[in-house]
Amino acid sequence: MKRILQHMAITMYITATMSGMMFTLCRVHMPGVPYILSHWSYGMLAPFQSYLTYNEDLVALGRHSGGLWEAIEMDKYRTHGKGEESIKMYLPMYRSLPEEVLKEKYEEYAEKLRTLEMNHGNTWEEIALEMHTWPRSPGGYEFLRVPVFTTVTKL
């Protein structure tokens, strides 16, 4: 009996893995395999489907009354780890909405940041948000984050 259960477990695992692979590669569901098994396996097979070949960071700049722009240290306002924050900066809840709405949401984000900064004693005339993009490097996350390799997109 134990041997039969082992064979069944192995068969189910192989079937779920094959089903997940079919869905990962071809977006085809394997007939007879429950959706939950197929997508459980897909989730394990697909962590790098959205792997980027570059690094990105949301940068906030504050303008003093004298006109000088300065980078704002945002780490003190981040409530999650770097991994989750690296997703939140894209405002994923609003990605499916029109571009104008996304722009408004980034403006709201900047205004909330301005209020938080004011509460910490930093008054800015204006806050601008930028997305900085630079190539990944074996030297580490920040290694190629230099002006010659960094693309700046105003949000």
Side-chain angles (χ1 to χ4, degrees), residues 50-56 133-141 143-144:
S50 61
Y51 177 79
L52 301 175
T53 57
Y54 51 87
N55 294 315
E56 282 188 315
T133 307
W134 65 97
R136 291 190 184 248
S137 167
Y141 179 73
F143 188 73
L144 293 177

Side-chain angles (χ1 to χ4, degrees), residues 72-123:
I72 297 172
E73 179 57 50
M74 295 198 316
D75 285 343
K76 60 187 165 200
Y77 305 120
R78 293 186 170 139
T79 57
H80 306 284
K82 185 68 172 162
E84 189 169 342
E85 288 297 332
S86 69
I87 298 300
K88 288 182 175 268
M89 71 182 181
Y90 297 111
L91 303 181
M93 288 177 53
Y94 307 105
R95 284 282 155 192
S96 62
L97 301 175
E99 194 65 32
E100 309 82 52
V101 175
L102 186 59
K103 184 176 177 359
E104 287 173 16
K105 293 300 176 185
Y106 275 115
E107 288 169 2
E108 285 178 29
Y109 186 106
E111 192 53 40
K112 285 179 183 177
L113 182 59
R114 194 161 92 84
T115 302
L116 289 169
E117 279 286 283
M118 216 180 309
N119 294 341
H120 281 91
N122 301 318
T123 54

Side-chain angles (χ1 to χ4, degrees), residues 55-66:
N55 294 315
E56 282 188 315
D57 193 17
L58 179 65
V59 175
L61 302 169
R63 184 174 55 81
H64 292 286
S65 57

